[in-house]
């Protein structure tokens, strides 16, 4: 039957992979015997034995642990030699998310993905499109006296992102923009002058950057997304508040990209109609 490997072939593959792992790690037969806790003759038999017999599970596991590979790889059950814990550590990382603008971690991700399409669902309005007054209002309560310095440092990075050669697609909940224009919820107390300036900046920047920048608006009563950014095919980053969770394995990155594309398909307002929404909100609020 398809998928069944002859025991003799499996034993031969085990010997080949054990020898390969030892060579790559620079481990001798005596060294492996010492690390595993067996006689050197046992290791010699593992490497040169004939027939279909495989070592017991405990010995396979001990060899795998000593050589820093997975037991499944030694047995030919996977093509990835890394241990599961190492694979997870490589493909998934959690980093702190300081209350700041574009911190070093985020900027590094944008630099890494320069030239690729970047899909972004922001937590509020996109930072790279905010006015200085808006940034000050939003971040000064947390950053205090350092807010102005942080804004100045971030402006250069935000400008670099705008000219990085990456296409930016953003999906924003309609209620986020409506709450902003009306100074409700998160934006309660935001002065009308700042709101008017911000809407004007959004309109002007969008006119300059479109179609390299495309913003889609979805109805959060129908579809939902947590804040997430997909950096081309390289990684996807989920924002939790205090931490970012970054995924680098291709399957999960593709899943996040598909999630974003679903938001675009379900959008109530397409990218071409975003300026019209800004005009309507400004007119409704007299901004």
């Amino acid at each position: 039957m398809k998928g069944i490997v002859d025991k003799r072939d499996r034993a031969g593959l085990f010997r080949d992979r054990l020898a390969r792992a030892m060579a790559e790690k620079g481990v001798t037969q005596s060294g492996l015997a010492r690390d595993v806790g067996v006689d050197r003759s046992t290791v010699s038999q593992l490497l040169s034995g004939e027939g279909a017999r495989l070592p017991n599970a405990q010995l396979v596991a001990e060899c795998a642990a000593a050589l820093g590979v997975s037991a499944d790889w030694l047995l030919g059950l996977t093509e990835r030699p890394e241990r599961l814990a190492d694979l997870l550590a490589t493909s998934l990382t959690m980093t702190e998310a300081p209350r700041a603008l574009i911190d070093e971690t985020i900027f590094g991700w944008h630099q890494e993905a320069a030239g690729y399409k970047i899909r972004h669902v922001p937590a509020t309005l996109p930072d790279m499109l905010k006015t200085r007054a808006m940034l000050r209002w939003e971040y000064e309560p947390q950053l205090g006296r350092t807010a102005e310095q942080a804004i100045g440092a971030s402006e250069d990075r935000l400008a670099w992102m705008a000219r990085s050669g990456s296409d930016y697609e953003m999906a924003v909940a309609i209620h986020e923009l409506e709450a902003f224009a009306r100074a409700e919820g998160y934006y309660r107390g935001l002065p009308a002058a700042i709101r008017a300036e911000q809407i004007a900046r959004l309109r002007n920047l969008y006119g300059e950057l479109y179609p390299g920048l495309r913003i889609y608006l979805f109805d959060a009563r129908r579809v939902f997304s947590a804040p997430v950014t997909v950096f081309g095919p390289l990684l996807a980053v989920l924002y939790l508040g205090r931490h970012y969770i970054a995924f680098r394995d291709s399957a999960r990155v593709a899943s996040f990209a598909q999630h974003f594309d679903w938001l675009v398909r379900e959008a109530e307002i397409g990218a071409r109609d975003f300026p019209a929404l800004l005009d309507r909100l400004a007119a409704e609020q007299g901004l």
Side-chain angles (χ1 to χ4, degrees):
M1 294 177 60
K2 186 177 180 180
I4 297 179
V5 179
D6 185 272
K7 290 182 178 180
R8 191 177 299 274
D9 294 337
R10 181 82 70 192
L13 183 58
F14 171 80
R15 290 193 295 271
D16 291 343
R17 289 191 170 182
L18 181 64
R20 174 177 157 190
M22 291 173 62
E24 291 179 353
K25 296 291 184 180
V27 177
T28 65
Q29 292 186 24
S30 297
L32 181 60
R34 184 172 55 253
D35 292 339
V36 173
V38 297
D39 294 333
R40 183 184 180 282
S41 60
T42 300
V43 175
S44 180
Q45 290 175 2
L46 292 177
L47 292 168
S48 60
E50 298 294 334
R53 187 174 181 180
L54 285 166
N56 63 51
Q58 182 176 348
L59 184 52
V60 172
E62 293 289 349
C63 289
L67 295 170
V69 297
S70 73
D72 282 352
W73 179 75
L74 284 179
L75 293 171
L77 301 176
T78 179
E79 294 304 312
R80 297 293 299 266
E82 302 96 332
R83 293 172 295 188
L84 179 60
D86 295 333
L87 281 171
L88 289 174
T90 300
S91 63
L92 188 153
T93 57
M94 179 178 287
T95 60
E96 289 189 12
R99 181 59 173 167
L101 296 173
I102 305 300
D103 63 28
E104 292 295 335
T105 300
I106 296 177
F107 189 52
W109 287 331
H110 280 273
Q111 288 179 307
E112 183 181 352
Y116 287 111
K117 179 191 289 187
I118 295 177
R119 301 169 169 95
H120 181 46
V121 182
T124 59
L125 297 182
D127 278 347
M128 65 184 295
L129 304 178
K130 291 174 182 173
T131 64
R132 176 175 278 261
M134 181 71 196
L135 291 169
R136 188 183 301 113
W137 178 86
E138 191 168 7
Y139 287 98
E140 202 166 46
Q142 176 71 21
L143 301 178
R145 295 180 180 179
T146 64
E148 200 66 25
Q149 181 180 357
I151 290 170
S154 295
E155 282 180 333
D156 292 338
R157 296 173 181 177
L158 294 169
W160 180 92
M161 289 160 57
R163 63 175 186 271
S164 65
S166 296
D167 277 354
Y168 281 85
E169 285 189 341
M170 300 183 183
V172 182
I174 296 173
H175 76 260
E176 189 71 30
L177 279 165
E178 291 176 339
F180 159 76
R182 298 166 184 164
E184 296 174 347
Y186 177 84
Y187 303 98
R188 184 168 57 88
L190 181 61
I194 295 179
R195 286 180 280 139
E197 181 188 14
Q198 180 62 69
I199 288 178
R201 176 173 172 79
L202 285 172
R203 188 188 298 110
N204 293 337
L205 277 178
Y206 200 72
E208 293 173 9
L209 300 176
Y210 182 86
L213 168 65
R214 297 180 295 281
I215 298 179
Y216 302 85
L217 300 168
F218 61 89
D219 183 351
R221 292 173 297 179
R222 293 183 55 250
V223 295
F224 171 77
S225 178
V228 63
T229 306
V230 184
F231 295 89
L234 305 178
L235 74 155
V237 179
L238 184 65
Y239 176 58
L240 297 182
R242 291 185 60 194
H243 295 88
Y244 302 113
I245 298 181
F247 302 86
R248 286 191 175 273
D249 59 296
S250 58
R252 285 186 175 84
V253 173
S255 294
F256 278 100
Q258 291 167 8
H259 166 75
F260 184 93
D261 291 343
W262 169 70
L263 293 176
V264 169
R265 289 195 302 272
E266 296 294 324
E268 293 288 317
I269 299 176
R272 291 184 179 180
D273 299 322
F274 177 65
L277 174 70
L278 294 176
D279 292 339
R280 176 174 67 81
L281 293 175
E284 287 177 353
Q285 302 304 315
L287 301 174

